[in-house]
Amino acid sequence: MVDTIIEEQSTEAQNTEPLGRIAVLGYGAGHMLNDITSSCWFTYLLLFLTDLGLSPRIFTQGRLLLPRLKWDYYHTWMTFLLPLPLLLRDAAIVMLSGQVADALTTIFSGELIDRFGHFKLWHAGGSILVAISFSSVFGGCVPCEIMGISSAILQTIGYSLFAAIFNVGWAVTQVSHMSMVNCITLNPTSRVSLTSCRNAFTMVANLSLYAVAFAIFSIYNANAYSDIKLQYRWIAYLSIFIGCCFVVVFLICTKEPELRHNSLGESKISWNYWFKKTLYFQVALVYVLMRLVTNVSQALLAFFVIDDLGMPQSSKALVPAIIYICSFIVSVILQEVSWTGSRLKAFFISGAILWIFSGSGIFVLPSSLHNTMYLFSITIGIGNALMMVTGISMQSMLVGKDLNGCGFVYGSLSFLDKLSCGLALYALESDQGSTHIRSLTVHDSYSITRFGVGLFPAACALLSALVTCTMELEETSSKQLAQPLLV
């Protein structure tokens, strides 16, 4: 009996030791495939569907014409010859179907992971599904090609099907990867470092996507409709290849968590256990609001800088690149901090304040001062990193040592995140076409895009900061990483 107690204390002491550099970097690489495909999903899918996927042909005088126009003219003609609000509605349905499938999968995958464990196996299976299905999302309407029919309804169904399959794999990979944090180590600072490294790799993934897109658009000169569609396919294929390389690194460098293996014999924690905790609902609300801030603003950013501010086409890549570079730098710096509950709250509120000022400024920013958007990109990048790293780390604080319920916590919160983001994007994108066209003719009106990039994220950031102030997080102190990542 005494020997057992001593052994358990020795094991716990060993698991609270800070992690090394390889362990942290290996874990962070595991979400690269999800991150780079997600960035492509939110940045280019809406443009692809409205300009190509759901509108590949122009009808004029009863004849079916395949467009062979320069991109700028093609985009302009499509805006006037096709019902833009209907295209945006169908594109929103495709994205919503993916978000709903993602949301439902997170619940089931979290429950299965809690029951059976094997994080790496779930991660590998989800990654394979992501790689196979994502290429089909940008590959065209498969049901249309099989049946030889090209109707708007069938196109929407076809793209929605593969969007749903992609998001199922994405959700399985995400929940298994996020749940591993609590089972890899009991050290609070190391847990935040794992999350921070994961967020840093997210920025690397986003920047990699824009580098790939810039190279494809620069090297491959596309004039015809088929060539432009091929550009998007190559972006998707190269993104998948880069992400898969990092998945292999993760599977090699990351061991199956021993903490989870040792706790499988214990009874599983019921859902009611979490529902009785006030902190669960506080963390859930903060996490959902944080995701609404980042995802909604990212999805509508390209429309805002071009249509509302009248910035050059290069700004569609430059503005997000500044955001991601700033987020990457901050994420790396945060890995060197020794974390406590009060510091998590302070850093999150700081990020929310930056977003409140940035969003408010963006909402009233006139097009004549559009270069100010580059300055806002810096504050947004810093705010995103502060909120993302600390917001996700609050989930780790919530789980604590209750490892048999970590899958449900991460899965249920991801469910709320995906559902809320899907509904928000559907509502905004469904109204974007008609409202934005109206705003071009009325000087004092504001487009839906301006609300989505400015006022909406600012309001969500304000509410999340207020909720964070009411939290009571455990004040634990722990050692920093065994090997600083900045050295």
Side-chain angles (χ1 to χ4, degrees), residues 35-53:
D35 288 331
I36 196 169
T37 53
S38 175
S39 180
C40 190
W41 170 274
F42 282 107
T43 304
Y44 291 119
L45 182 62
L46 186 60
L47 291 171
F48 172 78
L49 292 175
T50 54
D51 292 337
L52 296 172

Side-chain angles (χ1 to χ4, degrees), residues 204-322:
V204 173
N206 291 329
L207 292 172
S208 299
L209 171 68
Y210 285 107
V212 168
F214 178 78
I216 294 296
F217 290 139
S218 301
I219 298 174
Y220 194 81
N221 186 21
N223 296 321
Y225 161 80
S226 58
D227 295 333
I228 297 171
K229 198 167 185 176
L230 188 61
Q231 285 181 327
Y232 281 98
R233 289 185 181 180
W234 272 111
I235 292 174
Y237 295 154
L238 291 177
S239 299
I240 293 171
F241 174 76
I242 294 173
C244 287
C245 291
F246 281 90
V247 169
V248 173
V249 172
F250 162 78
L251 294 175
I252 294 175
C253 297
T254 305
K255 298 179 180 179
E256 184 69 27
E258 295 180 359
L259 289 174
R260 174 63 186 169
H261 177 74
N262 295 334
S263 64
L264 282 176
E266 302 175 7
S267 60
K268 179 182 175 298
I269 297 176
S270 66
W271 295 6
N272 291 334
Y273 172 80
W274 301 108
F275 293 153
K276 292 178 181 179
K277 283 191 170 187
T278 303
L279 184 60
Y280 172 83
F281 295 98
Q282 292 173 319
V283 172
L285 183 56
V286 167
Y287 181 72
V288 168
L289 292 170
M290 175 198 70
R291 287 295 191 181
L292 284 171
V293 169
T294 56
N295 289 348
V296 172
S297 60
Q298 180 183 358
L300 300 177
L301 184 60
F303 290 98
F304 174 71
V305 296
I306 299 300
D307 297 335
D308 288 73
L309 297 183
M311 298 178 72
Q313 292 291 325
S314 60
S315 64
K316 288 192 297 184
L318 185 57
V319 170
I322 295 174

Side-chain angles (χ1 to χ4, degrees), residues 41 45-46 49-50 54 85-100 156 160 421-432:
W41 170 274
L45 182 62
L46 186 60
L49 292 175
T50 54
L54 295 175
L86 293 180
L87 290 177
L88 287 169
R89 182 204 63 189
D90 293 341
I93 291 174
V94 174
M95 298 194 74
L96 179 61
S97 66
Q99 292 295 104
V100 171
T156 304
S160 298
C421 288
L423 292 174
L425 287 173
Y426 177 79
L428 291 170
E429 291 164 2
S430 296
D431 295 335
Q432 182 181 349

Side-chain angles (χ1 to χ4, degrees), residues 425-456:
L425 287 173
Y426 177 79
L428 291 170
E429 291 164 2
S430 296
D431 295 335
Q432 182 181 349
S434 58
T435 305
H436 180 69
I437 292 174
R438 178 179 58 82
S439 71
L440 292 178
T441 59
V442 182
H443 178 71
D444 295 329
S445 64
Y446 293 96
S447 67
I448 288 293
T449 313
R450 187 177 288 269
F451 277 95
V453 178
L455 190 61
F456 181 77

Side-chain angles (χ1 to χ4, degrees), residues 56-210:
R57 299 169 178 82
I58 298 178
F59 286 92
T60 175
Q61 297 180 350
R63 297 172 59 198
L64 178 63
L65 301 179
L66 293 178
R68 289 189 171 273
L69 309 171
K70 295 285 186 180
W71 172 252
D72 291 339
Y73 295 100
Y74 172 79
H75 186 273
T76 303
W77 281 38
M78 293 293 290
T79 301
F80 287 99
L81 293 179
L82 294 176
L84 182 59
L86 293 180
L87 290 177
L88 287 169
R89 182 204 63 189
D90 293 341
I93 291 174
V94 174
M95 298 194 74
L96 179 61
S97 66
Q99 292 295 104
V100 171
D102 192 340
L104 295 176
T105 305
T106 54
I107 292 290
F108 292 107
S109 60
E111 177 68 17
L112 292 173
I113 289 172
D114 279 340
R115 288 182 180 273
F116 304 108
H118 300 293
F119 294 98
K120 292 178 64 176
L121 185 61
W122 286 100
H123 185 280
S127 298
I128 292 173
L129 197 58
V130 166
I132 294 175
S133 60
F134 189 70
S135 60
S136 300
V137 174
F138 286 90
C141 177
V142 177
C144 298
E145 296 177 0
I146 294 176
M147 300 178 64
I149 303 174
S150 181
S151 65
I153 295 178
L154 189 58
Q155 285 179 340
T156 304
I157 293 175
Y159 282 109
S160 298
L161 175 63
F162 281 98
I165 296 174
F166 161 69
N167 277 274
V168 167
W170 201 98
V172 172
T173 305
Q174 182 199 33
V175 174
S176 60
H177 191 257
M178 293 179 70
S179 302
M180 290 180 70
V181 171
N182 286 73
C183 300
I184 290 176
T185 179
L186 295 176
N187 184 289
T189 294
S190 291
R191 286 178 173 181
V192 179
S193 296
L194 290 171
T195 302
S196 181
C197 186
R198 177 181 181 272
N199 193 66
F201 272 100
T202 299
M203 302 307 116
V204 173
N206 291 329
L207 292 172
S208 299
L209 171 68
Y210 285 107

